[in-house]
Amino acid sequence: MNRDPLERAWPAAEPPPGFADRVLDRLQHAAPEPAPRARSRRGWPARPVRWLALPALLLVLGGLLLLWPAHPDRAGDVIAAEPRRVSIGERVVAQMSSGAHLRWVGDEVWQDRGEVSYDVVPGAPFRVATPYGSVVVLGTVFRVVVAERGAAEGEGMQKHWAMAGGAAASVGALLWVSVERGRVRLEQGGTELLLAAGQAGAIGADGIPHLESSAPHARAEVAAAGSDEPRRKSSREVADAVRRHAARRRAAAAEQQQRLGSGSRASGASPAAAAGAPSAATPEPPLSPQSERRKEYMQRVMREQYFPVARDCYQELLERQPTARGRVVLEFAIVGDGDAGVVDRVAQREDETTIEDAEFTLCMRESLYTAVFEAPPPGAKETTVVYPIELTPE
Amino acid sequence: MPAMLLSTEDPEGDALEAGLLQRCRAGEPAALRVFVEHHQRSVFALLSRIVGPGPEVEDLAQETFLRAIRALPGFDVAGAARLSTWLLTIATRLALDVCRKRARQQRSPFTAEPPSAATPEHELQRAELRGAIASAVEALPSDQRAAFVLAEFHGFSIEDIAAALQIPENTVKTRLFRARAKLSQALAQHRGHAP
């Protein structure tokens, strides 16, 4: 593309006079710790009143720790008596809610309990360890809520979570993570879960990372759950659960590969297409719970990441052929790319694709490269997916 | 592809970065001023092209430099990322954050200024071209716009863009393909209508 017309037609803003002065001025005055805020982040709920009942000793200790130097420290140990912000090293700012406990040395952070939002300047890896699993930062802004030790054995855990986390949807969740921007990886034992922006994940009493819903109805459910908290398991029980989960994952992956190899679908469900939009459609044999979860995951990623772009392809087709409708069946591989699974080798199944428009099918195939999935299971080189899509005009 | 403003391939820029870094890390105000003044044009250019014109550009530029200066001690000189690339990566992520917030509020700063009837002919043509570009730019999703700006105006490689936007390289290629196609179409249409 010729840039000259672009540069002339798309002028850039120039720095105004005194810009550097203003930056240096802010730098000079930004060092002191900001005053604690009643709310840690816009839209977050205030801490529940029950925190006021924390032992007096904790409040005294927290009060003392508020006197901790405001400038970034290589190491620190802070219990927040009220919402506050701390700098961890040079590139991490943590917004702590009341009662949260953080310790850190360099970039290694231990979050013992409570709710903390992290804003991380991209760079070297950053990890938050908790009693229930680790969160490895691949992105920039995320939130971690950790239950108090032993709290799962007590009463009203879910109620506390609903109030404290605001979106801790899972009954029995001990560690809950939501990602606002970028990506993080939730780890426990040998099991990992990659979370992208807008997603949430949790680790419950079984020690297995899983995706979470943060829908309001889920919160209500949590709030209403009362004291039905399952007993927190011992380390050995957690380890056993993780091993069982890993075995189930391997079995599910093998089953999935076998099914894909025999040409069956990795996706599909909606029998009817939404008007004017692509939708997954397919027939399907009964699936195991693992395969069902995998299928739901695929559908969600496709719906969230691929369908918006694919809809543009279809709209462009409708401009050329206003009554165009039919099916496109795409076959693609998901290969590991670091911590993510990226799309590779997209093809359309000619014998099953009923829309014959080269520009449209090219657009559909090219657009699929924008989707990012979980990496293939450990040991699997790639995952092959066959995804049928029904398209009907409005 | 030749880069505009502060090129990432500019050897003079290299020398300046290497010399500045130590003094900036020590918090020396004079060095920090040179650092800001050296990079401010590229940061403003990037931000204004991603978020559009307006007072937010300076706010974001200040935030970019503040974050960068605080994180400078952790910047790996021997690493793959150049200082300018790293700085623009921070700016890009801040800009995209603003774009996402705007998308939720459904507002856009990209507006095509209607040409005035009293404008001389060549100014009229330029205004029309700006209008065509503004419309095409506004239609681009912010992620495509960011990839395009980084590639076309700041000389970022596919790999650099992938790192900056935290997306796979294939996704970068797709976004660039789509952005270029849409903007080329807008330019072609403008040429077709130009007298």
Side-chain angles (χ1 to χ4, degrees), chain B residues 35-131:
Chain B
F35 170 70
V36 173
E37 289 177 345
H38 184 69
H39 291 282
Q40 62 183 2
R41 284 193 73 210
S42 59
V43 169
F44 267 80
L46 175 95
L47 290 169
S48 63
R49 286 190 168 117
I50 295 180
V51 305
E56 272 175 322
V57 173
E58 171 155 356
D59 293 344
L60 287 171
Q62 285 188 18
E63 190 62 30
T64 298
F65 280 107
L66 287 175
R67 288 191 184 208
I69 289 168
R70 286 176 188 139
L72 266 179
F75 178 76
D76 183 6
V77 184
R82 291 277 317 277
L83 184 59
S84 54
T85 306
W86 174 71
L87 183 66
L88 292 179
T89 296
I90 295 173
T92 302
R93 292 182 183 174
L94 287 170
L96 287 176
D97 194 35
V98 166
C99 291
R100 290 186 191 106
K101 286 174 184 164
R102 277 184 189 159
R104 287 196 286 273
Q105 298 165 2
Q106 294 185 326
R107 61 189 178 93
S108 167
F110 291 101
T111 51
E113 297 170 19
S116 160
T119 313
E121 187 177 356
H122 70 283
E123 283 300 322
L124 181 66
Q125 288 175 14
R126 289 186 62 182
E128 287 173 349
L129 179 59
R130 275 198 299 273

Side-chain angles (χ1 to χ4, degrees), chain A residues 46-130:
Chain A
R47 298 295 296 178
V49 176
R50 62 175 297 198
W51 281 113
L52 297 174
L54 280 173
L57 179 62
L58 181 65
L59 288 173
V60 171
L61 180 59
L64 290 174
L65 287 167
L66 281 173
L67 301 177
W68 197 272
H71 56 78
D73 279 320
R74 288 292 299 164
D77 189 336
V78 174
I79 299 172
E82 55 186 309
R84 62 166 303 189
R85 190 160 71 173
V86 295
S87 296
I88 298 174
E90 296 293 342
R91 62 191 190 93
V92 181
V93 175
Q95 181 68 48
M96 302 174 69
S97 292
S98 310
H101 182 193
L102 277 183
R103 287 178 287 130
W104 69 91
V105 177
D107 279 345
E108 288 294 322
V109 176
W110 177 266
Q111 182 179 337
D112 192 52
R113 66 169 180 271
E115 179 181 341
V116 181
S117 177
Y118 298 87
D119 194 335
V120 183
V121 174
F126 174 72
R127 174 187 296 267
V128 178
T130 80

Side-chain angles (χ1 to χ4, degrees), chain A residues 1-3 5-16 19-24 26-27 30-31 42 90-91 119-123 138-140 180-183 309 312-313 316 337 342-344 363 366-367 369-372, chain B residues 1-4 29 32-33 36-37 40-41 44-45 48-49 57-59 61-63 65-67 69-71 73 86 90 93 97 100 110 126 129-130 133 137 145 148-149 152-153 166 168 170-171 174 178 180 183-184 187 191:
Chain A
M1 167 170 263
N2 186 354
R3 285 175 50 213
L6 260 185
E7 288 178 3
R8 283 199 301 272
W10 194 357
E14 290 287 331
F19 171 74
D21 291 333
R22 288 190 287 281
V23 171
L24 295 178
R26 272 189 68 184
L27 192 66
R42 189 180 61 175
E90 296 293 342
R91 62 191 190 93
D119 194 335
V120 183
V121 174
L138 309 168
T140 50
E180 184 179 323
R181 205 165 60 226
R183 291 181 298 163
V309 218
D312 290 343
C313 300
E316 289 167 10
D337 180 7
V342 297
V343 173
D344 193 23
C363 182
E366 286 280 326
S367 300
Y369 286 108
T370 61
V372 180
Chain B
M1 176 181 295
M4 199 178 76
L32 290 172
R33 177 183 296 281
V36 173
E37 289 177 345
Q40 62 183 2
R41 284 193 73 210
F44 267 80
S48 63
R49 286 190 168 117
V57 173
E58 171 155 356
D59 293 344
Q62 285 188 18
E63 190 62 30
F65 280 107
L66 287 175
R67 288 191 184 208
I69 289 168
R70 286 176 188 139
W86 174 71
I90 295 173
R93 292 182 183 174
D97 194 35
R100 290 186 191 106
F110 291 101
R126 289 186 62 182
L129 179 59
R130 275 198 299 273
I133 293 292
V137 165
R145 191 160 60 235
F148 180 82
V149 169
E152 297 291 341
F153 292 100
Q166 295 177 298
N170 275 337
T171 306
T174 306
R178 287 176 162 269
R180 283 172 178 149
L183 291 178
S184 294
L187 286 174
R191 288 194 203 101

